[in-house]
Amino acid sequence: MYAVLVTLTIEPVLAPVAAAALMEDIMPSVRSAPGFIAGYWMEPVDGRGLSMVLFESEDEARAATPPAVDWTAPGVTIEGTEVRRVAATAP
């Protein structure tokens, strides 16, 4: 299993519009990606956001990582992405 980690900044005044784009556009697109297992989008703190999306394989994770897939939303700037192998899990 592989995780896509995305760090981003959100303009506070556009946060409601960005949240709507996440729910209506980004999440459905990511959920439909091959190998998708689960996704977690943390609430922003001080304009900084973080997400973690899990995929079955490294290739599937990389194929769903911005900029390969459009994760854009108004007022959102993606600061960085990483793909990492999940070393351990706990239920």
Side-chain angles (χ1 to χ4, degrees):
M1 178 171 28
Y2 284 79
V4 174
L5 305 170
V6 179
T7 55
L8 51 92
T9 56
I10 302 171
E11 292 179 38
V13 69
L14 294 175
V17 178
L22 172 65
M23 300 301 289
E24 297 168 10
D25 301 322
I26 298 168
M27 286 178 63
S29 174
V30 172
R31 276 192 297 231
S32 68
F36 173 82
I37 296 171
Y40 304 91
W41 287 264
M42 278 43 87
E43 187 168 326
V45 173
D46 297 328
R48 297 195 49 116
L50 176 67
S51 67
M52 180 176 65
V53 184
L54 303 175
F55 291 90
E56 293 175 7
S57 74
E58 181 177 9
D59 288 341
E60 291 164 332
R62 291 194 184 283
T65 300
V69 172
D70 183 14
W71 285 38
T72 59
V76 173
T77 302
I78 294 177
E79 300 293 338
T81 62
E82 294 181 53
V83 174
R84 294 190 186 188
R85 187 179 69 82
V86 176
T89 63

